[in-house]
Amino acid sequence: MALDIPVGRHTLANGLRIVHSFDPTTAMVAVDVLYDVGSRDEKRTLTGMAHLFEHLMFGGSANVPSFDSELEDAGGKNNAWTSSDFTNFYDTVPAQNLDTALYLESDRMLALDFSERTLAVQKGVVVEEFKQTCLDRPYGDLFHRLRALAYGSDHPYSWPTIGLKPEHIGKVTLDDVKEWFYSHYAPGNAILSIVGNVDFDTACRRAEAWFGDIPARTTAARALPAPGFPTSDVVATVEGDVPFPLIVKAFPMDPYGTKGYFAADTLTDILSVGRSARLRNRLVNGTAAGLITDSDASVIGSEEPGLLLLTARLSSNSDADIARAGELLMEQARALAVPGELGASELERTLNNFEATFRFSNTGYLARATNLATAEYHGEDINRTVSDRRRLTTEDIRLTADHIFNDTPSATVIYRPAAK
């Protein structure tokens, strides 16, 4: 059965795109603002800017000293997250307080406070987050190592969103902040998603009232180098204070929006999602029982050529067992490239699971607001997401598996407990 999510669209004169969905089952409304800027817009000499800026957007704007307190006084909550490709902010408030959320979002789109004090505070917060998540946590620097191994050093995907090192955040100046804001945070570089108990005409009128007078701004052009993927298999072995060995294999894959991307995403679902997942049944509970204690497959959803990941957690730190686990992991992945290995019923079961998950994710007004914003960002019709995915065939999956696992060099990080 096709999805029938009500969707309305409108674009303001300054370029701000509005996407809306009416939900009469809630007394709330979600306001989601997606900006087309992420860590791929950074320079290697000043990484972590996109993530730092996510924090700065809560530090006060032209007419609002405290974003959080204003929203909380209106019965609302908020949060945000940053990816390599875009930055997303969202708020939830009672529907009668929609104007409060729109006012707050429009004011920080207009201009930030740009104070030295706010910058110092948020730099300290982000540096502490870097230490806690990347330096003090087991495997915390895994993606620093993996991305550096998989991408050329001049490509911004070669470092994680949080940045290469905390020293980069420490040296950010107020001029850097102003340049970043006026280069990326503009109405024409944003999507405003409104979902909840407010009709389309009202949502558009209120958005026009709060955002319409923000001047259009020219944003920075984006020109990225080639990914610089390895031309042959590369392996890095790391020792650290970790409880067990971990193998992570990264394979270059097609960017978002391509048939190859969606086939790769479905391929990883076959390997790792649900009770019938191959890695669980055939490795963890099968030929590698007792050696591989957990295994997963996933994609890093990227607008540029990205990575498909295979991971395995091991019970043994011996060289022989690590080598054997890696071979067993690849054996299961490469099996999907064998003609006739993937049956129509297994693909159908995987696609049914995808549809169920997607439908459920759009029942809540907040999740739907975020999904609508990202669909608009990709130029997609959210109601065709499932039907488009169902066009994939077993042969599409086989060819993708063959290309990725048999013809594409990989980057592997083996993270081992340090010898004591």
Side-chain angles (χ1 to χ4, degrees):
M1 185 174 65
L3 274 72
D4 190 23
I5 297 172
V7 180
R9 293 179 177 85
H10 179 64
T11 302
L12 302 185
N14 58 16
L16 178 66
R17 287 178 282 170
I18 301 168
V19 60
H20 166 272
S21 184
F22 177 56
D23 184 353
T25 67
T26 178
M28 304 290 288
V29 65
V31 173
D32 187 291
V33 183
L34 184 153
Y35 290 91
D36 185 9
V37 56
S39 58
R40 65 172 165 169
D41 297 293
E42 298 169 352
K43 301 174 183 177
R44 187 174 180 83
T45 55
L46 196 63
T47 63
M49 273 294 295
H51 177 240
L52 171 64
F53 217 86
E54 172 202 321
H55 286 255
L56 289 172
M57 287 285 279
F58 292 95
S61 54
N63 301 291
V64 180
S66 174
F67 186 99
D68 288 344
S69 61
E70 292 276 354
L71 194 69
E72 289 168 3
D73 287 346
K77 296 180 180 180
N78 68 84
N79 214 327
W81 48 275
T82 309
S83 75
S84 297
D85 302 306
F86 55 84
T87 308
N88 196 71
F89 301 87
Y90 59 86
D91 318 301
T92 60
V93 290
Q96 65 266 30
N97 291 335
L98 171 64
D99 277 334
T100 300
L102 295 179
Y103 162 57
L104 295 173
E105 290 293 352
S106 65
D107 201 60
R108 63 180 177 180
M109 181 184 289
L110 173 66
L112 290 186
D113 183 26
F114 298 125
S115 76
E116 292 283 5
R117 180 182 179 278
T118 298
L119 177 58
V121 169
Q122 296 305 326
K123 282 165 62 173
V125 170
V126 173
V127 167
E128 187 60 29
E129 181 182 345
F130 192 109
K131 292 177 180 177
Q132 290 180 0
T133 60
C134 300
L135 303 182
D136 300 336
R137 180 180 295 176
Y139 315 103
D141 61 347
L142 172 63
F143 279 93
H144 282 84
R145 298 177 182 276
L146 188 66
R147 285 183 174 274
L149 200 64
Y151 285 95
S153 61
D154 60 341
H155 196 284
Y157 281 2
S158 66
W159 57 83
T161 304
I162 201 165
L164 271 173
K165 50 187 178 180
E167 288 79 7
H168 282 183
I169 299 302
K171 70 178 183 179
V172 171
T173 67
L174 204 56
D175 285 341
D176 294 325
V177 171
K178 291 178 181 178
E179 180 182 1
W180 187 267
F181 179 81
Y182 288 112
S183 296
H184 302 291
Y185 280 74
N189 209 39
I191 295 166
L192 169 65
S193 175
I194 302 174
V195 175
N197 202 338
V198 57
D199 63 74
F200 178 66
D201 289 341
T202 300
C204 289
R205 286 199 309 271
R206 303 322 299 156
E208 177 72 52
W210 290 111
F211 290 87
D213 61 353
I214 299 176
R217 294 194 284 264
T218 301
T219 53
R222 180 183 289 137
L224 300 183
F229 292 131
T231 55
S232 60
D233 290 346
V234 290
V235 180
T237 299
V238 183
E239 290 191 351
D241 186 14
V242 296
F244 44 74
L246 186 70
I247 300 173
V248 184
K249 290 182 171 291
F251 301 83
M253 58 170 282
D254 291 344
Y256 189 92
T258 61
K259 185 177 182 179
Y261 176 96
F262 297 118
D265 189 33
T266 302
L267 186 159
T268 60
D269 286 352
I270 293 168
L271 288 171
S272 65
V273 174
R275 288 178 294 180
S276 59
R278 288 186 172 216
L279 294 179
R280 178 183 295 109
N281 288 337
R282 300 187 180 189
L283 287 185
V284 178
N285 298 325
T287 56
L291 171 60
I292 297 180
T293 59
D294 193 22
S295 187
D296 193 23
S298 61
V299 299
I300 298 178
S302 305
E303 304 303 310
E304 309 293 333
L307 300 175
L308 182 152
L309 306 182
L310 299 177
T311 65
R313 185 176 63 191
L314 314 182
S315 61
S316 170
N317 195 30
S318 76
D319 293 344
D321 282 340
I322 288 173
R324 177 170 172 261
E327 292 169 1
L328 290 172
L329 194 61
M330 288 304 302
E331 181 181 288
Q332 289 303 317
R334 286 177 171 148
L336 288 171
V338 176
E341 168 68 19
L342 176 65
S345 61
E346 186 177 6
L347 176 58
E348 178 70 14
R349 183 170 61 241
T350 299
L351 295 175
N352 287 344
N353 185 75
F354 172 82
E355 178 174 354
T357 302
F358 186 78
R359 285 180 179 274
F360 182 77
S361 73
N362 283 289
T363 57
Y365 66 99
L366 174 56
R368 190 191 302 179
T370 300
N371 291 343
L372 274 178
T374 52
E376 184 69 16
Y377 174 71
H378 289 129
E380 296 174 333
D381 179 352
I382 197 170
N383 287 307
R384 292 182 53 186
T385 299
V386 172
S387 59
D388 286 349
R389 185 66 66 99
R390 285 192 176 278
R391 292 194 178 96
L392 291 171
T393 66
T394 55
E395 184 64 4
D396 293 329
I397 305 302
R398 188 192 73 78
L399 291 173
T400 299
D402 185 49
H403 171 65
I404 292 177
F405 299 128
N406 291 327
D407 298 333
T408 306
S410 63
T412 301
V413 172
I414 300 172
Y415 219 125
R416 307 179 66 167
K420 296 182 179 179

